[in-house]
């Protein structure tokens, strides 16, 4: 008991010992919410006597889940940590137990982006589509949007229709987006695959159609805790409501000032209006900041105070005074990058490891100038983007071998059947694909049935089949780490990399083996091959780490949930941060919240920078309004700004704020309305472009319609007054 409650402040203690009912914890940045959640889990188990298997604790990254499991084990001394996972990982657990309710096998496949691209490649080749019709990235986005908006009940068709019926719908489709969408659903059904967006949909559907399964999970989960509640979306909210409806024990933790994912469905109102949706909600405010110096906390408080849609609160610093928050205005982007490089070298000379220094920016393109300068200045750096660890070729190959052994799916077969070379080239693969379509079977089953055909003479097809069968029999006998090592050896894959002299790839395979070993330690009895494959499919960029002693470069979105001793926030210009794409007051508040997240990543020192110059569209670059949101006394300027620049910047910001207010009010006219323009004369509103806040007007005196900003002075025609 003393160990679990030791060192908690008053608010944390209140949160940890709150057990029954609905609780909302408003936890400011750096206030120790992970500590409160892990100690509450340990308190429920050690003091209340709750079973770990009856506790669901939802985090938003696998990395956060692993960290929480580690902390709880240290507190309880027990390897059983119940359901500590992301929403999607939890849904995999539900489906592995109950997906038979929709006639899917328990060995269903969890798809990642590489799998989806492999499916798209098959569809494009089969139907003669090219990237001119639609890039893979746009195709993935289109599929996601159709599933969420246009065809939200798609899964009912997937469940009800046979692969043959879905194939017919796909083959009869004519438009590119229909071909891709139905072709993708057909490919999914054929291998019983579910992508990221399917997981919650299928769980909710099973809960809707099977009351017994729903009640089983509701009764099992006696306590539900949800971290980062401000990031929850509508589907996750629905799932949460269903799960807590029996025991009515729900404990949520979040910060409305860190809602930065509305573009993917999150809503700050779920947190702000929680007490209106549930009865007898008790709210706990955790505002003491244990991460940042008072100087950084003061700047962050001043920045976010400019927002209106929020809980009125201030972070309370607990650390001793530190360095001032510095603002540097540069003449060019090159000078901005050079100033940052010199500051970093100065920090390094004073003993700061480069790995403790992070540069944040609004968008990836801003890294180009930084990279050029860092290469010239011989400053090592790592960009947290691009090809992540689990997307590398050799890692995907190794995982495909594991998946082929477990699931015998087409995607894995296509990826590794001829790697290393087994003389199973394009002609023989076409033979198998034709056979599989004609006989409604997998490619692996097609090879099993036709391996004695003359076409497979002088190939290693039988060796591949023997390899898969032998290791399939070992799945339940060997730990996943040992199975992987033996499989990579006996398949000849590691030998192939050695022959190629690919030491970096061999090193990556060694790191993969270590990750499997870590997974086994963290999960204990849960560490089956199926659970590991599902775990890896749900890995995100935020789960990747680098131990290299180099400066980190990343977007602010990537940095969410992380903290760094030294932070440089660059590119603080109007049209960059805040983004020029912001067209609403709500959008501007989200940009400010994103900037607040950037500020509060810093522990010891925070530097803000911007640069003059022109954007690609020719517009002039002004310092960001977010700099002016912070009281001048809270920032140390490296040089005074030109009074003319300050004046012009404020005028531009005021004009933009008026535009945002106009957008919030909505259009004054609609299609068909007659209007009068002081210069262009009378005309009729033809259409409204909400993205550009403009009317399309057909003026009587001009032959073609014109787009006119909503800011322009238009009056209703006298006949309509």
């Amino acid at each position: 008991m003393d160990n679990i409650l030791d060192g908690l402040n008053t608010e944390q203690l209140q949160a940890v010992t709150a057990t029954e009912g609905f609780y909302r914890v408003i936890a400011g940045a750096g206030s120790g919410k992970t500590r409160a959640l892990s100690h509450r889990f340990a308190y429920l188990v050690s003091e209340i006597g709750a079973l770990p298997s009856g506790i669901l604790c939802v985090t938003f990254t696998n990395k956060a889940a692993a960290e929480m499991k580690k902390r709880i084990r240290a507190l309880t001394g027990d390897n059983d940590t119940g359901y500590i996972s992301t929403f999607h990982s939890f849904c995999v657990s539900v489906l592995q137990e109950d997906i038979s309710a929709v006639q899917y096998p328990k060995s269903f496949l969890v798809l990642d982006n590489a799998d989806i691209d492999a499916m798209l490649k098959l569809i494009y080749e089969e139907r003669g589509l090219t990237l001119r019709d639609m890039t893979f990235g746009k195709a993935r986005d289109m599929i996601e949007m159709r599933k969420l908006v246009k065809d939200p009940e798609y899964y009912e068709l997937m469940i009800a229709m046979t692969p043959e019926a879905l194939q017919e719908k796909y083959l009869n489709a004519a438009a590119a987006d229909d071909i891709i969408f139905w072709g993708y659903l057909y490919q999914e059904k054929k291998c019983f695959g579910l992508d990221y967006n399917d997981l919650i949909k299928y769980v909710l559907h099973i809960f809707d159609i099977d009351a017994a399964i729903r009640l089983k999970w509701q009764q099992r989960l006696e306590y539900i805790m949800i971290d980062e509640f401000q990031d929850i979306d509508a589907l996750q909210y629905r799932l949460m409501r269903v799960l807590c409806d029996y025991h009515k024990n729900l404990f949520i933790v979040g910060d409305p000032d860190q809602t930065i994912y509305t573009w993917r469905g999150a809503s700050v109102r779920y947190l702000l209006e929680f007490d209106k949706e549930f009865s007898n909600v008790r709210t706990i405010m955790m505002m003491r900041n244990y991460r940042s110096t008072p100087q950084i906390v003061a700047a962050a408080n001043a920045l976010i105070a400019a927002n209106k849609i929020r809980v009125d609160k201030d972070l309370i610093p607990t650390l001793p005074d530190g360095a001032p928050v510095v603002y540097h205005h540069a003449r060019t982007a090159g000078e901005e990058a050079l100033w940052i490089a010199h500051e970093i070298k100065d920090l390094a000379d004073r003993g700061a490891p480069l790995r403790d220094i992070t540069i944040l920016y609004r968008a990836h393109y801003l890294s180009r100038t930084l990279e050029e300068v860092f290469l010239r200045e011989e400053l090592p750096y790592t960009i947290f983007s691009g090809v992540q660890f689990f997307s590398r070729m050799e890692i995907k190959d190794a995982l495909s071998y594991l998946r082929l052994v477990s699931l015998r799916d087409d995607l894995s077969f296509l990826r590794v059947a001829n790697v290393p070379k087994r003389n199973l080239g394009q002609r023989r693969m076409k033979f198998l694909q034709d056979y599989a379509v004609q006989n409604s079977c997998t490619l692996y089953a097609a090879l099993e049935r036709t391996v004695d055909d003359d076409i497979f003479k002088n190939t290693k097809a039988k060796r591949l089949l023997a390899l898969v069968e032998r290791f399939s029999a070992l799945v339940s006998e060997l730990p996943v780490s040992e199975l992987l090592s033996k499989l990579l050896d006996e398949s000849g894959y590691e030998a192939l990399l050695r022959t190629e002299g690919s030491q970096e790839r061999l090193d990556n395979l060694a790191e993969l083996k270590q990750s499997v070993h870590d997974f086994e330690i963290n999960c204990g009895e849960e560490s089956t091959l199926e659970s590991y494959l599902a775990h890896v499919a749900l890995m995100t960029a935020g789960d990747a780490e680098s131990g290299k002693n180099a400066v980190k470069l990343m977007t602010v979105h990537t940095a969410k949930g992380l903290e760094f001793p030294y932070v440089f926030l660059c590119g603080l210009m109007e049209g960059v941060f805040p983004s020029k794409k912001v067209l609403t007051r709500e959008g501007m508040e989200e940009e400010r919240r994103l900037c607040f997240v950037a500020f509060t990543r810093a522990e010891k020192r925070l530097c803000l920078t911007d640069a003059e110059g022109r954007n690609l569209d020719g517009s002039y670059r002004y310092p960001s309004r977010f700099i002016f949101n912070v009281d001048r006394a809270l920032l140390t300027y490296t040089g005074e700004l030109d009074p003319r620049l300050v004046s012009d910047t404020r005028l531009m910001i005021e004009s933009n704020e008026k535009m945002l207010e106009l957008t919030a009010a909505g259009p004054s006219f609609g299609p068909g309305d007659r209007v009068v323009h002081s210069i262009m004369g009378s005309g009729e509103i033809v259409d409204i472009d909400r993205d550009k806040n403009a009317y399309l007007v057909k003026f009587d005196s001009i032959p073609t319609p014109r787009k006119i900003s909503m800011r322009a002075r238009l009056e209703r025609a006298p006949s309509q007054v």
Side-chain angles (χ1 to χ4, degrees), residues 464-483:
L464 175 63
L465 291 175
L467 177 82
V468 173
E469 294 303 319
R470 185 166 69 256
F471 277 90
S472 293
L474 294 173
V475 165
S476 60
E477 298 177 14
L478 296 177
V480 182
S481 54
E482 190 175 341
L483 188 78

Side-chain angles (χ1 to χ4, degrees), residues 570-585:
C570 69
L572 274 169
M573 291 86 70
E574 286 291 312
V576 178
F577 199 5
S579 167
K580 66 179 179 181
K581 296 179 182 178
V582 175
L583 298 173
T584 65
R585 188 168 48 196

Side-chain angles (χ1 to χ4, degrees), residues 161-330:
M161 296 176 75
T162 63
E164 292 75 23
L166 275 171
Q167 182 186 33
E168 184 179 351
K169 199 167 180 66
Y170 152 58
L171 292 175
N172 289 334
D177 59 342
D178 287 334
I179 291 171
I180 293 166
F181 184 69
W182 292 109
Y184 176 67
L185 295 192
Y186 163 60
Q187 290 291 340
E188 274 196 295
K189 184 63 179 277
K190 196 168 67 164
C191 66
F192 291 109
L194 300 179
D195 64 28
Y196 194 74
N197 296 299
D198 297 326
L199 297 172
I200 295 181
K201 284 270 192 177
Y202 271 60
V203 169
L204 285 169
H205 180 64
I206 290 170
F207 286 170
D208 281 343
I209 65 172
D210 196 316
I213 291 176
R214 180 176 70 245
L215 183 60
K216 176 185 73 174
W217 284 96
Q218 288 174 332
Q219 290 179 334
R220 182 183 299 182
L221 301 174
E222 297 179 348
Y223 297 95
I224 298 173
M225 298 188 281
I226 301 178
D227 191 12
E228 304 285 6
F229 195 79
Q230 75 279 350
D231 294 333
I232 204 170
D233 63 28
L235 281 176
Q236 293 163 348
Y237 188 79
R238 274 180 59 198
L239 179 60
M240 172 207 75
R241 293 208 67 148
V242 171
L243 291 173
C244 74
D245 197 43
Y246 184 80
H247 293 291
K248 303 191 186 307
N249 286 329
L250 179 59
F251 180 93
I252 65 164
V253 182
D255 182 3
D257 289 335
Q258 295 187 67
T259 303
I260 60 172
Y261 291 117
T262 60
W263 48 275
R264 68 183 191 196
S267 173
V268 68
R269 299 197 182 277
Y270 289 136
L271 180 59
L272 294 179
E273 298 176 4
F274 185 78
D275 56 337
K276 297 176 183 176
E277 294 294 318
F278 297 91
S279 58
N280 300 317
V281 171
R282 281 157 285 189
T283 298
I284 299 168
M285 304 290 286
M286 285 173 38
M287 290 298 109
R288 299 190 218 187
N289 179 282
Y290 295 95
R291 176 187 299 156
S292 308
T293 63
Q295 286 77 6
I296 295 169
V297 169
N301 282 336
L303 169 73
I304 201 62
N307 272 6
K308 306 299 181 200
I309 306 172
R310 63 186 296 262
V311 175
D312 189 17
K313 61 185 177 62
D314 276 334
L315 294 174
I316 302 168
T318 62
L319 299 180
D321 276 349
V325 177
V326 172
Y327 165 55
H328 178 76
H329 174 77

Side-chain angles (χ1 to χ4, degrees), residues 407-699:
L407 304 171
R408 293 171 175 68
D409 64 290
D410 287 358
L411 298 179
S412 301
F413 184 87
L414 285 169
R415 186 172 185 100
V416 298
N418 205 39
V419 182
K421 298 289 185 187
R422 297 186 177 93
N423 212 13
L424 298 173
Q426 192 171 354
R427 181 173 67 91
R428 292 183 174 92
M429 282 297 180
K430 180 68 166 61
F431 172 85
L432 289 174
Q433 287 171 325
D434 290 344
Y435 183 94
V437 170
Q438 292 163 12
N439 294 275
S440 299
C441 65
T442 65
L443 295 175
Y444 185 86
L447 181 59
E448 281 185 309
R449 298 175 192 178
T450 63
V451 71
D452 291 322
D453 193 287
D454 286 347
I455 195 172
F456 293 112
K457 282 184 177 178
N458 303 316
T459 71
K460 297 178 180 177
K462 287 188 176 180
R463 290 192 197 178
L464 175 63
L465 291 175
L467 177 82
V468 173
E469 294 303 319
R470 185 166 69 256
F471 277 90
S472 293
L474 294 173
V475 165
S476 60
E477 298 177 14
L478 296 177
V480 182
S481 54
E482 190 175 341
L483 188 78
L484 176 62
S485 293
K486 288 181 179 293
L487 187 53
L488 292 176
D489 178 34
E490 294 186 31
S491 66
Y493 187 76
E494 268 190 316
L496 170 68
L497 295 189
R498 288 193 188 93
T499 303
E500 293 176 349
S502 306
Q503 188 56 49
E504 183 179 352
R505 288 179 175 169
L506 287 167
D507 290 343
N508 286 336
L509 284 185
E511 185 62 27
L512 175 66
K513 293 174 187 175
Q514 181 61 45
S515 82
V516 178
H517 181 64
D518 292 343
F519 176 80
E520 289 170 337
I521 291 173
N522 283 332
C523 294
E525 293 178 0
E526 301 167 24
S527 56
T528 62
L529 178 56
E530 285 183 0
S531 62
Y532 176 71
L533 290 173
H535 164 78
V536 169
L538 296 174
M539 290 294 282
T540 66
D543 299 315
E545 285 192 9
S546 171
K548 193 166 80 170
N549 188 33
V551 179
K552 299 181 183 78
L553 277 66
M554 67 183 77
T555 65
V556 183
H557 279 103
T558 302
K560 177 73 162 55
L562 305 177
E563 53 193 45
F564 316 99
Y566 307 96
V567 170
F568 291 82
L569 177 58
C570 69
L572 274 169
M573 291 86 70
E574 286 291 312
V576 178
F577 199 5
S579 167
K580 66 179 179 181
K581 296 179 182 178
V582 175
L583 298 173
T584 65
R585 188 168 48 196
E586 290 78 8
M588 186 58 70
E589 293 217 349
E590 175 147 357
E591 287 289 293
R592 189 173 285 107
R593 291 194 295 266
L594 186 61
C595 193
F596 175 79
V597 166
F599 277 32
T600 54
R601 297 314 91 196
E603 297 173 339
K604 297 180 181 179
R605 189 179 180 200
L606 173 65
C607 294
L608 315 174
T609 67
D610 73 327
E612 292 182 35
R614 293 196 176 275
N615 297 306
L616 292 175
D617 62 3
S619 60
Y620 192 79
R621 286 182 170 175
Y622 295 98
S624 170
R625 70 192 69 192
F626 299 152
I627 294 166
F628 298 109
N629 284 155
V630 181
D631 296 342
R632 176 68 176 81
L634 299 177
L635 297 178
T636 296
Y637 285 39
T638 58
E640 290 303 318
L641 295 178
D642 185 314
R644 176 71 178 271
L645 175 65
V646 175
S647 174
D648 289 349
T649 301
R650 293 193 184 280
L651 282 173
M652 187 279 302
I653 292 171
E654 286 173 12
S655 174
N656 179 256
E657 291 288 346
K658 287 179 182 176
M659 186 272 289
L660 296 179
E661 290 294 332
L662 191 66
T663 307
S668 302
F669 307 103
D673 286 348
R674 294 284 300 174
V675 295
V676 177
H677 187 286
S678 59
I679 296 174
M680 312 290 275
S682 299
E684 182 177 315
I685 305 290
V686 177
D687 199 3
I688 297 174
D689 187 334
R690 294 182 184 276
D691 288 338
K692 294 183 178 178
N693 292 308
Y695 298 110
L696 184 65
V697 184
K698 173 60 181 71
F699 290 104

